[in-house]
């Protein structure tokens, strides 16, 4: 069979049959699988070459799965010295036919499949037992070679592969026991380190008096003592903290130690079998089934295949512990994270819908407060569905035995996410309440303000263009004009009622009337001049620094934008002088002056760099929230907003300087930070103000008021006119509602259909890295490394924009039209039910309007106050009113539909309910703390989470600008391998005291908050990146990779395609 496996692997490597081969090589694994099913053993490890043919074994197991299904198996292995009776014991236990003889009869390892009977399947949780027989340890044939290394590898493999390992010891000789026990303990310790928990049973064979209980108890105590002793010795070698064997593995010395009589009564070959031996075998079987098999779920055949591959690949490397990657566990965790992303999105999506409805009700003054209990009640149904889905996932998924270890932590995470969503939504809605109340106070004084503003305008006319003065006038006039236009249109129509009513005459006369009235209004309301936000920013900054700011220089120099991506903030800081007294302080000061004299430039530590980066990022986030709260699309732009932003930024910078830091910021830091933030916000403010500017001029109202004028001229009733006014007033709220609803629908669709956005944050990051590799833009890489949150946001915006553009005609437009149709149906239903309500209660038009607006309060921002300037108390024909709305509404909807296109869609979206905003909230409300060494982002999905920061894959610390002390050479170490070393040091926090990477937590500060697991895992992606952008990195950090052998000899073998493929494998 060994040669058949070699033929298969040889053919597989070239993907074709060898010359003169009479059969298709792909049929060979099927033959081997049939033999295994028939009860023949299959060689798992080639004992002569100490090699596992992974390709061949995987192919055979695949065929086994094809024939039997993905069955659950319990793996039982045996380990012991040569000629200690291992194979004989297995043969006796299960009726197998492993080879037995004196000397080395088993070479390598063999596996044999044992079918579990239907009767036993009711008591245990698997279908087959896979028995693995191994060669003996300390084989004489291997003397002269590295027998210890070979034995440890073999023990590690069979112990890791099995659910239960039988440790076979011949006799009770203590020296022989120590030979095997140290190897066994080391193997189990390795399993503990890679989070595998197999169990073991010790079998003492060839014991003279197995019935002597007192003697056996003494033997057990001696074994326990020896195991504890071996554990302490091995713990030092493996750098593991353990004092006794029970610290490594769950072990019951009373049940897990067995004593066997001799196999033969007398001397073979004529001696008969010993009945006591048979009884001992039966006792061992009972222990196996009662205490181990019945409590284990074994593993699936697919898991077994992966386990064999994982262990062999790890054993081939120098350090097993640092190399072992449990691929199946990684796969299960990825699946869990994907499900978690769906659960958290379900909660967030439900809360977005609730937020939208409550936002509308607040604007319509239907509610006056929002409590967390209200939001929790709204979220209760979705929360219960998520809990049910989580429970089913952990209970029914085929990997439930692996997933169970994370159940509690993910239940806590979901609970935290839900609490954060509720808290954040309450904050947003309370902001809307505050804005509404402020606006209401302003409206209460509107008439007074109107007269005063008109008087003020006359005084200031041709003397000032101050935007604050204009805004006061516009705010006071806006509502007054729209309401009075209705009255003026009606009066003019009634004056000429008896005159000719042909269309051309009516149109001409209304044009003349409209020109006169608009001229009056425009005289009262001077249009806003073009404004320059960055000019206002520079003006305020210049005032702060008393005119000493180099305005012309800044206007031309765009370097301030790099404050978000700069690799070091050293140029922005001035180090404070030491306040220490005494000899030590004087010596340190003298030492620093000496270093400065000889060209030493003081730099910020990684920790301090991270602090400043965090300040910059947080200030940008908070100022973005401030800009959103200004509601510029409704209130217009004010220079005072810029003043508030700059005051806030200045306050934050000052507070940071007053903290426990050893530096101060130069003036340029505040200037660059203000300019960079305002430059990013410029487009958003401009777009929102343009929407406001367009809305304040009554010229666009011409068609609306002409329709009213025309109907009065033609003798229409008040009910008909009022119905049309309602439709005209509904036009803008309908459009807003349609855009918001479509945005939410699109967000859900992108979460399902957009490859980069349909998973968790790790999946998003994988696509970001793929895109960066494809574009090969170094500046974008630097933004990703130094300002990851900003890069994630930009990527999400780009993905959303691309999706909307590509799918506009096939997805966006149909959704909008469907939402228009649904909204039209809801409006007509509200009109009909309001008519019935008024007729039943003998109410008036006021009651009809109240009922109508209340029914629409959760989908439209439309209330009775929107019709406060229109007289509507002179009719009672509500059926006619309903008919007019039914007739006029389709044309309103048609007009909205006709203006839908890719150019207007993004501009007209509400900032709070844009797809990119919703997705950014989903993906980016998480931990963004970066590793103090390499800058990799913590993958915890909860911001300000409990416990340590961690990331599955770290990267080259040189990417974060770290270099070897007293040189200009980049460090090429990866965090996970650096902390595994006992010789590498680093210098934290401007300190001259070195700290072992292995003891990084002892450095305190940001280092103490990270959990960096020692391993040799690494992404080829970053090796390719370093080679591809070597010169750019050297220029960016003013350091060099000169002398780094890894780059020339190893890393350059990776192509861009290799780099991208590695992302699919590891992320």
């Amino acid at each position: 069979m060994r040669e058949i496996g070699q033929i298969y692997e040889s053919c597989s490597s070239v993907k074709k049959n060898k010359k003169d081969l009479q059969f298709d090589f792909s049929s060979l694994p099927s033959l081997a699988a049939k033999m295994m099913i028939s009860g023949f053993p299959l060689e798992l490890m080639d004992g002569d070459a100490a090699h596992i043919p992974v390709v061949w074994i995987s192919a055979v197991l695949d065929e086994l799965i094809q024939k039997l299904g993905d069955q659950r198996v319990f793996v039982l292995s045996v380990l012991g010295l040569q000629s200690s009776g291992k194979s004989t014991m297995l043969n006796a236990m299960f009726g197998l036919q492993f080879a037995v003889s004196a000397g080395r009869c088993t070479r390598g390892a063999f596996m044999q499949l044992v079918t579990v009977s239907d009767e036993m399947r009711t008591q245990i949780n698997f279908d087959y037992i896979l028995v693995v027989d191994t060669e003996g340890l300390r084989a004489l044939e291997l003397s002269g070679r590295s027998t210890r290394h070979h034995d440890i590898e073999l023990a590690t493999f069979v112990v890791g592969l099995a659910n239960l390992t039988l440790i076979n010891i011949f006799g009770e000789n203590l020296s022989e026991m120590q030979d095997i026990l140290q190897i066994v303990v080391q193997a189990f310790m390795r399993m503990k380190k890679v989070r595998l928990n197999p169990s073991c049973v010790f079998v003492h064979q060839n014991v003279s008096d197995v019935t002597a209980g007192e003697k056996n108890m003494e033997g057990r105590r001696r074994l326990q003592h020896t195991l504890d002793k071996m554990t302490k010795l091995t713990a030092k070698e493996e750098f593991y903290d353990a004092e006794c064997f029970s610290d490594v593995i769950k072990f019951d010395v009373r049940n897990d130690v067995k004593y066997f009589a001799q196999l033969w009564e007398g001397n073979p070959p004529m001696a008969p079998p010993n009945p006591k031996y048979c009884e001992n075998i039966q006792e061992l079987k009972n222990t196996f089934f009662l205490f181990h098999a019945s409590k284990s779920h074994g593993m699936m055949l697919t898991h077994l295949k992966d386990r064999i591959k994982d262990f062999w690949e790890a054993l081939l490397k120098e350090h097993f512990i640092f190399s072992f990657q449990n691929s199946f566990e990684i796969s299960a965790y990825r699946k869990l994270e994907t499900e978690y992303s769906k659960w958290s999105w379900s909660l967030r999506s439900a809360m977005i819908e609730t937020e939208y409805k409550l936002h509308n009700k607040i604007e319509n003054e239907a509610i006056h407060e929002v409590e967390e209990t209200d939001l929790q009640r709204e979220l209760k149904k979705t929360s219960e569905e998520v809990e049910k889905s989580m429970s089913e996932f952990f209970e029914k998924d085929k990997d439930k035995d692996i997933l169970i270890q994370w159940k509690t932590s993910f239940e806590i995470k979901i609970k935290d996410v839900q609490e954060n969503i509720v808290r954040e939504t309450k904050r947003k809605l309370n902001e809307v309440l505050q804005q509404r109340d402020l606006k209401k106070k302003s409206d209460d004084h509107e008439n007074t303000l109107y007269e005063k503003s008109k008087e003020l305008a006359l005084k200031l006319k041709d003397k000032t263009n101050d935007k604050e003065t204009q805004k006061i006038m516009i705010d006071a006039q806006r509502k007054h004009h729209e309401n009075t236009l209705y009255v003026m249109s009606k009066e003019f129509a009634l004056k000429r009622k008896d005159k000719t009513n042909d269309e051309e005459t009516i149109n001409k006369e209304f044009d003349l009337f409209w020109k006169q009235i608009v001229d009056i209004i425009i005289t009262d309301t001077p249009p806003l001049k073009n404004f320059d936000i960055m000019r206002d920013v520079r003006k305020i900054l210049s005032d702060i620094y008393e005119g000493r700011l180099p305005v012309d220089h800044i206007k031309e120099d765009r370097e301030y934008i790099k404050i978000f991506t700069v690799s070091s903030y050293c140029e922005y800081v001035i180090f404070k002088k030491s306040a220490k007294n005494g000899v030590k302080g004087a010596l340190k000061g003298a030492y620093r002056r000496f270093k400065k004299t000889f060209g030493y430039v003081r730099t910020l530590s990684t920790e301090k760099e991270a602090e400043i980066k965090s300040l910059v990022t947080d200030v940008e986030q908070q100022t973005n929230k401030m800009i959103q709260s200004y509601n510029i699309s409704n209130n217009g732009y004010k220079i005072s907003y810029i003043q508030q932003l700059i005051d806030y930024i200045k306050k934050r910078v000052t507070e940071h300087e007053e903290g426990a830091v050893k530096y101060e910021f130069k003036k340029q830091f505040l200037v660059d930070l203000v300019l960079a933030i305002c430059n990013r916000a410029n487009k958003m403010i401009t777009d929102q103000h343009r929407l406001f500017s367009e809305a304040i001029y009554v010229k666009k109202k011409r068609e609306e008021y002409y329709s009213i004028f025309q109907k009065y001229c033609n003798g229409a009733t008040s009910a008909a006119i009022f119905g049309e006014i309602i439709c005209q007033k509904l036009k803008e709220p309908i459009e807003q509602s349609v855009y918001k609803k479509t945005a939410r629908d699109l967000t859900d669709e992108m979460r399902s259909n957009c490859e980069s956005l349909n998973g968790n944050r790790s999946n998003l990051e994988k696509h970001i890295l793929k895109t960066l590799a494809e574009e090969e833009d170094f500046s974008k890489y630097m933004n990703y490394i130094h300002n990851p949150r900003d890069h994630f946001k930009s990527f999400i915006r780009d993905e959303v924009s691309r999706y909307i553009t590509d799918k506009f005609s096939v997805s966006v437009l149909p959704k909008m039209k469907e939402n228009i149709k649904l909204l039209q149906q809801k409006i007509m239903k509200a009109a009909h039910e309001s008519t019935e309500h008024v007729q039943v209660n003998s109410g008036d038009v006021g009651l009809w309007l109240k009922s109508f607006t209340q029914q629409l309060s959760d989908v439209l921002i439309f209330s009775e106050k929107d019709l406060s300037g229109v007289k509507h108390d002179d009719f009672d024909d509500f059926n006619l009113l309903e008919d007019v709305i039914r007739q006029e509404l389709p044309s309103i909807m048609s007009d909205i539909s006709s203006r839908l296109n890719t150019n207007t869609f993004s501009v007209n979206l509400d900032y709070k309910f844009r797809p990119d905003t919703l997705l950014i909230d989903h993906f980016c409300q998480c931990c963004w703390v970066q590793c103090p060494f390499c800058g990799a982002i913590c993958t915890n999905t909860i911001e300000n989470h409990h416990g340590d920061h961690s990331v599955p894959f770290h990267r080259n610390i040189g990417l974060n600008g770290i270099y070897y002390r007293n040189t200009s050479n980049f460090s090429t170490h990866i965090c996970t391998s650096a902390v595994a070393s006992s010789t590498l040091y680093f210098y934290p926090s401007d300190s001259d005291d070195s700290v072992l990477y292995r003891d990084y937590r002892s450095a305190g500060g940001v280092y103490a908050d990270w959990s960096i697991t020692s391993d040799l895992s690494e992404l080829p992606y970053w090796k390719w990146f370093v080679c591809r952008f070597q010169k750019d990195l050297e220029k960016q950090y003013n350091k060099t990779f000169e002398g780094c052998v890894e780059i020339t000899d190893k890393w350059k073998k990776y192509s861009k395609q290799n780099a991208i493929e590695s992302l699919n494998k590891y992320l």
Side-chain angles (χ1 to χ4, degrees):
M1 289 300 293
R2 180 187 297 176
E3 287 73 18
I4 291 175
Q6 291 171 346
I7 290 170
Y8 177 81
E9 289 203 330
S10 176
C11 293
S12 293
S13 65
V14 294
K15 296 180 180 178
K16 64 179 181 180
N17 269 13
K18 293 290 184 182
K19 189 177 180 182
D20 299 328
L21 195 62
Q22 302 298 316
F23 51 86
D24 190 347
F25 78 94
S26 62
S27 64
L28 295 176
S30 179
L31 295 174
K34 287 179 182 178
M35 290 181 69
M36 280 194 73
I37 295 171
S38 300
F40 288 91
L42 179 71
E43 187 177 52
L44 178 60
M45 175 187 280
D46 181 345
D48 295 318
H51 169 74
I52 296 176
V54 174
V55 175
W56 165 244
I57 296 295
S58 296
V60 172
L61 290 175
D62 282 335
E63 286 296 327
L64 205 60
I65 293 167
Q66 285 287 326
K67 296 179 185 302
L68 300 177
D70 192 8
Q71 300 293 336
R72 192 172 288 277
V73 297
F74 185 96
V75 182
L76 175 68
S77 66
V78 65
L79 200 62
L81 294 177
Q82 182 176 303
S83 300
S84 60
K86 301 182 299 298
S87 302
T88 302
M89 179 175 64
L90 293 176
N91 290 343
M93 281 182 73
F94 298 105
L96 307 179
Q97 294 182 351
F98 287 121
V100 293
S101 71
R104 190 188 185 201
C105 54
T106 303
R107 291 171 180 261
F110 286 81
M111 60 182 181
Q112 188 166 343
L113 206 58
V114 178
T115 305
V116 176
S117 67
D118 293 338
E119 181 184 350
M120 288 302 299
R121 286 183 191 181
T122 60
Q123 302 174 35
I124 55 181
N125 302 310
F126 41 85
D127 308 293
Y128 293 89
I129 299 171
L130 188 76
V131 182
V132 179
D133 187 23
T134 63
E135 68 179 51
L137 305 176
R138 300 298 193 201
L140 295 174
E141 292 87 343
L142 295 177
S143 59
R145 288 190 280 168
S146 179
T147 56
R148 176 171 172 76
H149 180 72
H150 171 81
D151 288 348
I152 289 174
E153 278 195 351
L154 179 64
T156 301
F157 180 74
V158 298
V159 165
L161 192 61
N163 300 110
L164 173 67
T165 303
L166 300 177
I167 310 298
N168 197 52
I169 300 172
F170 191 74
E172 298 177 275
N173 185 289
L174 193 61
S175 62
E176 286 190 2
M177 281 171 58
Q178 286 180 336
D179 270 351
I180 182 174
L181 288 181
Q182 190 165 358
I183 295 171
V184 169
V185 169
Q186 188 163 357
F188 278 113
M189 202 170 282
R190 288 180 166 192
M191 296 309 104
K192 186 79 172 179
K193 280 188 169 186
V194 295
R195 301 190 304 281
L196 297 177
N197 297 295
S199 54
C200 69
V201 171
F202 287 88
V203 178
H204 285 272
Q205 295 225 36
N206 209 34
V207 177
S208 57
D209 187 4
V210 296
T211 60
E214 185 179 335
K215 183 181 178 183
N216 290 346
M217 282 306 299
E218 175 59 30
R220 285 184 170 93
R221 282 194 293 270
R222 189 165 67 247
L223 175 64
Q224 181 80 65
H225 175 75
T226 306
L227 286 170
D228 292 345
K229 181 182 175 183
M230 294 299 105
T231 299
K232 288 182 181 179
L233 290 171
T234 308
K236 293 179 181 178
E237 185 177 333
E238 292 284 331
F239 301 107
Y240 189 80
D241 184 17
E243 293 294 323
C244 57
F245 188 59
S246 58
D247 290 340
V248 179
I249 188 172
K250 187 178 178 181
F251 176 69
D252 184 352
V253 74
R254 288 171 297 181
N255 292 318
D256 293 336
V257 179
K258 302 297 177 184
Y259 289 91
F260 273 32
Q262 295 179 10
L263 174 61
W264 307 106
E265 281 190 326
N267 296 318
M270 299 304 293
N274 188 347
K276 286 290 183 183
Y277 184 86
C278 299
E279 291 175 10
N280 299 147
I281 286 289
Q282 187 59 43
E283 184 186 349
L284 178 60
K285 283 182 72 174
N286 291 339
T287 300
F288 166 68
F289 283 110
L290 290 175
F291 293 99
H292 295 281
S294 62
K295 297 177 182 178
S296 171
H297 292 283
M299 66 181 80
M300 307 301 290
L301 282 171
T302 49
H303 301 187
L304 175 66
K305 183 183 75 170
D306 291 336
R307 181 76 66 87
I308 291 170
K309 181 173 180 287
D310 292 338
F311 266 93
W312 180 242
E313 287 180 353
L315 285 168
L316 287 175
K317 297 183 180 178
E318 185 178 356
H319 299 286
F320 169 79
I321 300 300
F322 302 149
S323 304
F324 177 75
Q325 293 290 326
N326 190 333
S327 61
F328 200 81
E329 187 172 289
I330 292 170
S331 174
Y333 190 79
R334 284 179 187 166
K335 180 167 57 176
L336 174 57
E337 282 215 319
T338 301
E339 290 300 312
Y340 168 77
S341 182
K342 293 177 184 176
W343 296 327
S344 60
W345 174 251
S346 296
L347 291 169
R348 191 176 297 280
S349 182
M351 187 50 76
I352 289 169
E353 190 70 27
T354 299
E355 180 188 349
Y356 168 68
K357 291 178 180 178
L358 293 178
H359 180 274
N360 288 343
K361 287 190 173 184
I362 289 170
E363 294 287 359
N364 292 326
E365 298 186 18
I367 57 174
H368 303 285
E369 63 177 354
V370 177
E371 297 294 337
E372 279 191 19
T373 51
D374 300 326
L375 298 174
Q376 287 165 353
R377 187 169 54 252
E378 292 286 340
L379 202 57
K380 185 178 179 182
K381 182 181 177 183
T382 306
S383 178
E384 289 173 350
E385 290 173 354
V386 167
E387 286 178 11
K388 183 180 177 182
S389 176
M390 285 184 71
S391 180
E392 289 178 351
F393 177 76
F394 282 108
E395 290 173 7
K396 297 180 180 180
D397 190 87
K398 66 186 182 75
D399 302 323
K400 61 184 179 182
D401 298 329
I402 298 174
L403 293 167
I404 193 67
Q405 63 183 303
W406 302 302
K407 183 180 180 183
T408 302
S409 63
F410 272 79
E411 285 174 344
I412 294 170
K413 284 174 76 172
I414 279 291
K415 185 179 178 182
D416 288 344
V417 164
Q418 185 169 329
E419 289 174 354
N420 288 342
I421 290 171
V422 168
R423 198 161 42 245
E424 182 66 15
T425 304
K426 182 189 174 187
R427 183 192 64 77
K428 290 179 183 177
L429 293 174
N430 281 332
E431 285 180 0
V432 178
L433 273 167
Q434 291 170 7
Q435 292 170 15
R436 184 200 70 183
D437 292 342
L438 288 171
K439 190 172 184 293
K440 189 177 179 183
K441 288 178 183 178
S442 176
D443 290 344
D444 290 340
H445 302 289
E446 186 174 295
N447 291 330
T448 306
L449 284 171
Y450 172 67
E451 295 301 329
K452 289 185 177 180
S453 63
K454 187 173 180 179
E455 185 178 327
L456 181 63
L458 292 172
K459 289 180 181 179
L460 297 177
K461 191 176 182 182
D462 299 327
K463 293 185 178 180
T464 179
N465 288 325
D466 183 66
K467 287 183 284 297
E468 288 297 309
T469 305
Q470 296 178 37
K471 184 64 179 64
I472 291 171
M473 293 186 291
I474 291 162
D475 285 341
Q477 293 164 1
R478 185 178 182 186
K479 187 175 179 182
H480 175 83
H481 291 323
E482 291 197 15
N483 288 333
T484 54
L485 274 170
Y486 165 72
V487 177
M488 296 176 74
S489 298
K490 179 179 178 181
E491 288 176 354
F492 180 58
L494 293 175
K495 284 179 184 178
R496 62 160 319 284
K497 189 174 181 181
D498 296 328
K499 298 180 182 179
T500 180
N501 286 335
D502 65 274
E503 183 70 24
E504 186 177 351
T505 304
I506 292 174
N507 204 344
K508 284 181 180 179
E509 291 191 16
F510 183 79
D511 279 342
L512 183 62
F513 157 76
W514 186 256
K515 185 177 184 306
Q516 292 170 351
I517 190 63
V518 168
D519 285 344
I520 294 170
I521 291 171
I522 291 177
T523 302
D524 285 346
T525 311
L528 292 181
K529 302 289 184 182
N530 290 331
F531 65 98
D532 184 344
I533 291 171
M534 297 309 292
R535 180 188 61 204
D536 293 342
V537 172
R538 288 189 283 269
K539 180 180 181 300
I540 294 172
L541 284 173
S542 184
D543 290 341
I544 290 174
Y545 292 105
E546 299 177 354
R548 292 194 295 272
L549 199 67
V551 176
D552 293 338
H553 170 72
I554 292 173
K555 190 172 183 179
E556 295 175 1
D557 189 5
R558 308 286 287 183
E559 289 297 311
Y560 55 81
I561 299 174
K562 292 185 179 178
I563 197 168
F564 293 119
T565 58
V566 69
S567 60
S568 174
Y569 291 95
C570 278
E571 294 182 2
Y572 283 117
V573 301
I574 302 170
F575 290 98
K576 295 177 182 177
K577 293 182 180 179
S578 176
K580 294 180 181 179
N581 296 320
V583 177
K584 188 175 181 180
L587 286 173
K588 278 201 170 185
Y591 177 60
R592 284 179 180 146
R593 287 193 296 275
F594 171 80
K595 289 196 290 185
K596 188 174 182 180
T597 303
F598 287 92
Y600 173 83
V601 179
R602 191 174 179 187
T603 59
L604 286 165
S605 67
T606 305
E607 184 180 5
K608 300 302 179 188
E609 293 280 9
E611 284 178 1
I612 301 174
K613 169 64 69 178
S614 177
L615 171 69
V616 171
T617 303
D618 189 58
V619 168
E620 187 204 8
Q621 291 170 12
Q622 297 305 319
T623 50
N624 274 340
K625 291 178 181 177
M626 289 173 68
I627 292 167
Q628 293 173 38
S629 71
Y630 295 149
N631 201 8
I632 294 170
S633 59
N634 286 331
N635 300 325
Y637 166 75
K638 301 178 183 179
I639 195 172
S640 61
Y641 295 157
I642 301 299
Q643 183 70 62
Q644 291 172 29
L645 292 176
I646 293 176
D647 289 345
Y648 172 78
I649 297 170
K650 187 178 180 183
K651 177 187 172 187
R652 288 293 305 275
V653 170
T654 304
E655 287 174 351
H656 186 86
E657 288 177 319
E658 291 172 352
V661 295
K662 299 178 182 178
Y663 53 83
E664 296 174 347
F665 289 115
K666 297 176 183 177
K667 291 178 181 178
Q668 196 64 36
F669 179 78
L670 176 63
V671 172
D672 284 6
L673 185 57
V674 167
L675 289 167
I677 287 173
C678 292
N679 183 72
R680 283 192 171 184
N682 193 350
K683 185 177 186 303
M684 179 176 67
I685 294 173
T686 304
D687 287 345
Q688 291 189 20
H689 182 70
R690 183 172 59 78
L691 291 175
F692 167 78
S693 302
E694 291 173 356
I696 65 172
Y697 295 113
V698 294
K699 288 180 180 178
K700 72 174 187 176
K701 297 286 184 181
R702 196 261 182 203
E703 293 303 319
E704 178 182 332
Y705 290 101
Y706 175 69
S707 179
I708 296 169
F709 171 79
Q710 188 181 39
K711 282 185 169 52
Y712 269 117
C713 288
N714 293 327
T717 64
S718 294
I721 300 297
F722 187 59
E724 181 165 346
I725 291 172
I726 287 175
C727 290
Q728 293 294 342
K729 292 285 185 182
L730 281 170
K731 188 174 183 179
E732 187 175 339
I734 288 171
E735 193 166 17
Q736 290 176 359
S737 178
V738 167
Y739 274 100
K740 289 176 182 177
K741 179 68 169 65
T742 305
R744 299 197 303 279
D745 293 343
L746 269 176
T747 306
D748 284 331
E749 180 177 287
M750 281 185 272
R751 281 283 299 146
S752 300
N753 299 344
C754 187
E755 192 176 352
S756 60
L757 303 172
N758 66 0
N760 54 21
R761 195 180 75 168
S762 295
N763 176 68
L764 174 61
E765 185 166 18
K766 178 176 75 175
H767 282 85
I768 287 174
L769 291 172
K770 279 185 178 180
T771 303
L772 285 170
E774 288 163 358
E775 294 178 352
E776 296 191 41
D777 187 326
F778 181 73
S779 63
K780 288 185 178 181
Y781 267 112
M782 287 297 99
N783 187 48
Y784 165 76
I785 290 170
H786 296 294
N787 197 18
R789 192 198 302 245
D790 176 70
H791 192 87
F792 270 69
K793 288 181 178 180
S794 297
F795 182 83
I796 292 171
R797 291 189 190 103
D798 291 343
E799 287 291 279
V800 170
S801 177
R802 188 180 302 110
Y803 188 90
I804 290 173
T805 303
D806 294 344
K807 304 284 185 180
F808 189 81
S809 59
V810 296
S811 180
V812 181
L813 201 55
K815 278 183 173 57
M816 295 198 77
K817 290 182 177 179
E818 178 64 20
N819 288 330
I820 288 172
K821 181 182 176 182
L822 293 173
L823 199 52
Q824 182 176 344
Q825 292 171 358
K826 188 157 189 174
I827 291 169
M828 287 315 307
K829 182 183 177 184
H832 180 68
E833 291 181 358
S834 298
T835 299
E836 289 183 341
H837 178 67
V838 169
Q839 289 171 347
V840 169
N841 294 280
S842 302
D844 59 6
V845 67
L847 181 62
W848 187 95
L849 190 57
K850 183 178 181 181
S851 173
F852 180 71
T853 53
Q854 282 180 348
Q855 290 185 65
L856 298 173
S857 64
D858 62 344
V859 292
L860 295 177
I861 300 177
F862 179 72
S863 64
E864 294 172 85
K865 67 180 181 180
D866 291 303
L867 296 163
S868 59
V870 180
K871 186 178 179 182
H872 53 259
D873 57 359
D874 56 350
F875 69 89
D876 57 6
D877 191 349
F878 299 107
N879 287 320
L880 175 60
L881 176 60
E882 183 184 337
D883 290 340
V884 170
I885 293 174
R886 183 177 290 106
Q887 292 168 10
E888 295 293 332
L889 198 57
S891 63
I892 297 294
M893 299 303 196
S894 177
D895 181 54
I896 294 172
S897 295
S898 67
R899 290 185 284 106
L900 300 176
N901 58 67
T902 51
N903 296 326
T904 60
F905 182 77
S906 296
V907 175
N908 290 333
L909 285 172
D910 185 285
Y911 188 83
K912 294 178 182 177
F913 294 98
R914 294 174 64 91
D916 50 358
T917 303
L918 300 178
L919 288 167
I920 285 170
D921 283 345
H922 175 64
F923 283 109
C924 298
Q925 285 187 6
C926 52
C927 186
W928 289 98
V929 176
Q930 292 181 263
C931 172
F933 297 115
C934 70
I937 317 156
C938 173
T939 52
N940 198 296
T941 51
I942 306 294
E943 201 164 9
N944 302 318
H945 59 88
H946 301 293
D948 293 331
H949 302 294
S950 63
V951 61
F953 287 97
H954 289 260
R955 54 195 182 218
N956 185 302
I957 61 179
L959 301 184
N960 212 24
I962 295 178
Y963 56 96
Y964 293 107
R965 193 172 176 85
N966 299 323
T967 75
S968 60
N969 294 335
F970 279 114
S971 171
T972 55
H973 294 295
I974 294 169
C975 309
T976 46
S977 56
V979 299
S981 169
S982 58
T983 57
L984 290 175
Y985 295 85
F986 71 98
Y987 295 83
S989 306
D990 291 332
S991 173
D992 293 322
D993 301 322
S994 62
V995 176
L996 268 173
Y997 268 100
R998 193 174 67 189
D999 302 325
Y1000 68 93
R1001 282 181 180 269
S1002 65
V1006 294
Y1007 302 99
D1009 297 333
W1010 273 83
S1011 173
I1012 304 174
T1013 306
S1014 305
D1015 64 51
L1016 299 180
S1017 59
E1018 53 193 38
L1019 274 176
Y1021 181 93
W1022 292 110
K1023 294 180 178 180
W1024 166 81
F1025 169 75
V1026 169
C1027 295
R1028 168 62 182 81
F1029 294 103
Q1030 180 178 342
K1031 291 183 180 178
D1032 298 280
L1033 285 165
E1034 290 174 341
K1035 182 179 179 182
Q1036 173 79 12
Y1037 295 108
N1038 195 27
K1039 297 291 180 291
T1040 179
F1041 283 101
E1042 186 179 346
C1044 296
V1045 180
E1046 293 92 342
I1047 293 180
T1048 55
D1049 294 350
K1050 299 178 182 178
W1051 293 9
K1052 287 188 176 179
K1053 70 179 182 180
Y1054 294 110
S1055 65
K1056 181 165 74 173
Q1057 188 60 34
N1058 295 146
I1060 293 174
E1061 287 172 358
S1062 73
L1063 296 175
N1064 293 325
K1065 181 178 179 181
Y1066 294 109
L1067 292 182

